[in-house]
Amino acid sequence: MQYKDLHTTISNVLNLTLIGVLGSTLTVKWWMCGDDKMDIFRAWLLGICMGITGLGAAYATLKYKNHEKFNYWSEVVLRVLLVYAVFTTALLKAEGHFYNYTLFTGETKLAQLEADTFANAFYGFSPIFQAYIGYIILGGLALICFRQTQRLGNILMFAILANTVMHNYSFDSCYIYKNSIYLAVIGSFIFADFPAYYSFFSRQNNKLTEEYHPLKNHYHLINSGRIFKVILLIGFYFYTQHFIEDAKNYMTSNIESPITGVWKITDIKFMKEGITSQNRKDIQSFKSIILDKGRFGAVEIADSLSFFEYIIDPKYNQLEFWNFQDFWELNIKGKYHQVTPDSMIYIGSNKKDSLQFSLKLDIKK
């Protein structure tokens, strides 16, 4: 077996194995780590099955001299899957919505922050830096879609993903699992193009650079294919942008809130007498309420934070808290009244119980 045939055969097995592993991550949402036992088991199962299939396909295509054609199409499938898997995350970073600096982080001492929370705050503190990373990834994904620029795109994406995996490892981020798979895919592209890279960097002629292309010598069709790719990428961008807008609206649903901040509870009153319940004891343990510019808030209890979801309607001064992390039975609805810019009264109800909070804006924070 010649070196070129051996190299192409190994590349074919790698391509099919990674199609299975990468395909397993497509069932995981972009905000999920995808590193639980079932996700890892699915990746191993699909990877082994596709690897065995790849061995059989590589042998059959080599025997019938179709291994270069098979290598071309398997790599095309792998590139399409990679673009589909990474594009949403890259666009979220470019739009500045993947990492977020929140008031919760600001309320926590630096020594008490977990490593991944610190990294999230670091990148989220500067949306410009986050956007810079996102657009570089988008540029790398665009480059790997075209044959004339794919080798440059491979190097760019390898550098970005290697840096990302190192950051994930350093800050103990659960995203290291998915990013390592993406890095392995880019590594397989570099392996497939290794003769061309060697020829370029060594400045030696390489006889192995002749590659299969289904439209070889049909230059008009090749140019039409490039235009079609551009149209597909633009269409995919706008399709994903619509999803990004939905995610943005969800995460920043209270962005226009006039009472964002850390509100210290100075007094709690219950309007109905003679009621003793666990809910009242829970509410009386609240020290302050944090209302962030987003969908989530938190109450401070002792030295810890308990999160909840909230929605505000400034037009009617309505404010509702629900889905408390540690207090499942609480669902507080009511209205707020700002007495001064740094003080307000909130009157609401939890089920049949009525309550009143007196709050003071903690300007120091």
Side-chain angles (χ1 to χ4, degrees):
M1 182 186 295
Q2 296 181 354
Y3 168 75
K4 183 178 180 180
D5 293 336
L6 176 62
H7 178 265
T8 304
T9 300
I10 295 174
S11 180
N12 287 339
V13 176
L14 283 175
N15 286 348
L16 258 70
T17 302
L18 289 172
I19 285 174
V21 176
L22 181 59
S24 70
T25 67
L26 299 182
T27 60
V28 181
K29 303 297 183 182
W30 64 265
W31 63 84
M32 299 175 66
C33 300
D35 63 342
D36 61 32
K37 292 181 179 179
M38 285 303 299
D39 293 325
I40 295 174
F41 174 76
R42 187 187 304 114
W44 273 97
L45 180 62
L46 290 176
I48 291 172
C49 290
M50 292 299 291
I52 294 173
T53 303
L55 285 171
Y59 173 78
T61 54
L62 179 62
K63 181 179 180 180
Y64 293 102
K65 304 298 181 182
N66 288 320
H67 52 296
E68 293 184 9
K69 183 185 298 185
F70 183 78
N71 181 258
Y72 173 85
W73 288 112
S74 62
E75 189 172 313
V76 166
V77 172
L78 195 54
R79 289 183 187 274
V80 170
L81 289 178
L82 181 66
V83 172
Y84 182 81
V86 179
F87 199 87
T88 300
T89 302
L91 192 54
L92 276 165
K93 291 180 179 179
E95 296 286 338
H97 299 302
F98 189 81
Y99 301 105
N100 294 288
Y101 181 82
T102 66
L103 290 175
F104 314 135
T105 306
E107 283 297 290
T108 307
K109 294 179 180 179
L110 184 61
Q112 296 176 342
L113 287 176
E114 295 181 358
D116 58 339
T117 306
F118 175 80
N120 185 72
F122 173 79
Y123 287 106
F125 190 79
S126 176
I128 295 177
F129 182 67
Q130 184 181 165
Y132 168 75
I133 296 174
Y135 280 116
I136 289 180
I137 297 174
L138 288 174
L141 291 175
L143 289 175
I144 68 172
C145 292
F146 299 91
R147 204 162 189 80
Q148 293 74 19
T149 59
Q150 69 180 27
R151 288 164 187 153
L152 176 61
N154 290 342
I155 295 176
L156 179 61
M157 288 297 295
F158 185 86
I160 294 170
L161 289 171
N163 180 69
T164 302
V165 169
M166 181 58 67
H167 275 254
N168 292 155
Y169 176 78
S170 301
F171 291 101
D172 196 26
S173 172
C174 61
Y175 290 107
I176 189 173
Y177 175 73
K178 289 198 294 188
N179 288 326
S180 296
I181 293 175
Y182 303 152
L183 181 61
V185 172
I186 292 296
S188 73
F189 295 157
I190 293 177
F191 174 80
D193 285 330
F194 180 77
Y197 287 118
Y198 179 80
S199 175
F200 177 80
F201 288 109
S202 65
R203 297 185 179 181
Q204 296 179 6
N205 292 329
N206 187 0
K207 298 179 181 180
L208 302 182
T209 55
E210 188 69 21
E211 298 175 346
Y212 166 82
H213 194 282
L215 300 177
K216 189 175 181 180
N217 299 326
H218 295 81
Y219 301 109
H220 293 295
L221 289 177
I222 291 176
N223 290 331
S224 298
R226 293 170 187 163
I227 295 173
F228 184 64
K229 286 180 183 178
V230 171
I231 294 173
L232 285 177
L233 284 173
I234 294 175
F236 188 50
Y237 172 84
F238 284 107
Y239 171 79
T240 309
Q241 183 67 35
H242 179 73
F243 169 77
I244 299 298
E245 286 297 320
D246 289 342
K248 174 185 173 182
N249 293 334
Y250 176 82
M251 292 185 291
T252 60
S253 56
N254 299 310
I255 196 69
E256 301 297 331
S257 171
I259 57 173
T260 297
V262 181
W263 294 88
K264 185 177 180 180
I265 300 175
T266 58
D267 186 41
I268 301 176
K269 294 181 180 178
F270 294 96
M271 306 302 186
K272 296 182 179 180
E273 298 180 356
I275 298 178
T276 302
S277 66
Q278 182 61 43
N279 288 342
R280 284 195 174 189
K281 293 179 181 179
D282 293 335
I283 293 173
Q284 286 174 332
S285 66
F286 296 170
K287 296 173 61 178
S288 63
I289 298 177
I290 303 173
L291 301 177
D292 210 345
K293 286 187 177 180
R295 192 172 186 85
F296 299 96
V299 290
E300 183 182 359
I301 306 168
D303 293 327
S304 63
L305 298 177
S306 180
F307 298 94
F308 57 78
E309 290 186 68
Y310 82 101
I311 191 72
I312 185 172
D313 185 352
K315 184 177 180 180
Y316 299 102
N317 287 17
Q318 292 183 334
L319 180 61
E320 179 179 353
F321 310 93
W322 77 97
N323 196 18
F324 281 78
Q325 177 184 359
D326 300 301
F327 311 105
W328 295 100
E329 295 186 1
L330 294 184
N331 188 343
I332 305 173
K333 301 178 181 179
K335 290 190 175 185
Y336 67 92
H337 306 276
Q338 281 192 273
V339 181
T340 64
D342 62 346
S343 65
M344 71 174 178
I345 295 174
Y346 177 75
I347 301 174
S349 62
N350 176 58
K351 296 183 178 179
K352 297 181 179 181
D353 202 1
S354 299
L355 52 88
Q356 176 181 302
F357 289 148
S358 297
L359 304 116
K360 184 82 173 176
L361 185 63
D362 195 340
I363 301 176
K364 295 183 297 181
K365 299 180 180 181

